[in-house]
Amino acid sequence: MTRLTGRALRLTVFVGEHDTWHHKPLYAEIVHRAHAAGLAGASVFRGIEGFGASSLIHTSRLLSLSEDLPVAIVIVDTEERVRAFLPQLDELVTEGLVTLDDCEVIRYTGRDDTPPEPDTDGKNTEGKKAP
């Protein structure tokens, strides 16, 4: 599992929901490549309304315009790892917006498959009552 705390870089990629790469959603290709590159994580967020360089507003409120809602792919990792990933985005993102922001990671923890062992007073190592 990747450990990440302190200074980091947040990469955000804004594309359309129906943008594709070799007949598969572009956002999925970006996430899979980020995973293969060993980045700390990636999340995809679907927008309910937005517009970009074309100035055409896409919204979920009107069925006729809801065909290509905006999506944002957010990746946070060390500056070195994020910058090493940028050439892949140059290949993939032909329309959209790519931004980089400095950020600070306060906490980055994954799900633990095994619950903490209870200590002698019936509480786990986090001080919570064991189930």
Side-chain angles (χ1 to χ4, degrees):
M1 182 175 111
T2 302
R3 299 280 184 218
L4 183 63
T5 56
R7 288 183 45 106
L9 206 57
R10 178 179 49 226
L11 166 66
T12 307
V13 182
F14 297 93
V15 295
E17 179 180 36
H18 291 292
D19 291 349
T20 60
W21 178 260
H22 296 264
H23 307 291
K24 122 182 203 186
L26 177 59
Y27 62 84
E29 182 67 18
I30 293 170
V31 168
H32 289 281
R33 287 195 187 195
H35 185 260
L39 293 171
S43 297
V44 178
F45 300 93
R46 183 178 190 224
I48 58 171
E49 189 165 8
F51 71 94
S54 68
S55 293
L56 178 63
I57 293 179
H58 299 272
T59 177
S60 61
R61 291 181 288 136
L62 301 172
L63 287 177
S64 63
L65 296 177
S66 66
E67 297 171 0
D68 194 23
L69 293 170
V71 294
I73 304 100
V74 179
I75 298 168
V76 176
D77 207 323
T78 63
E79 180 172 0
E80 179 183 343
R81 295 174 77 133
V82 169
R83 290 196 183 276
F85 185 67
L86 291 178
Q88 294 198 52
L89 291 180
D90 286 340
E91 175 188 1
L92 295 171
V93 180
T94 58
E95 293 179 4
L97 174 66
V98 178
T99 65
L100 290 173
D101 300 291
D102 290 320
C103 64
E104 182 178 359
V105 175
I106 304 301
R107 183 175 186 170
Y108 177 63
T109 56
R111 292 188 181 140
D112 190 359
D113 293 337
T114 57
E117 291 293 321
D119 60 15
T120 55
D121 65 357
K123 294 183 178 178
N124 63 28
T125 56
E126 296 171 338
K128 298 176 186 169
K129 187 77 172 162

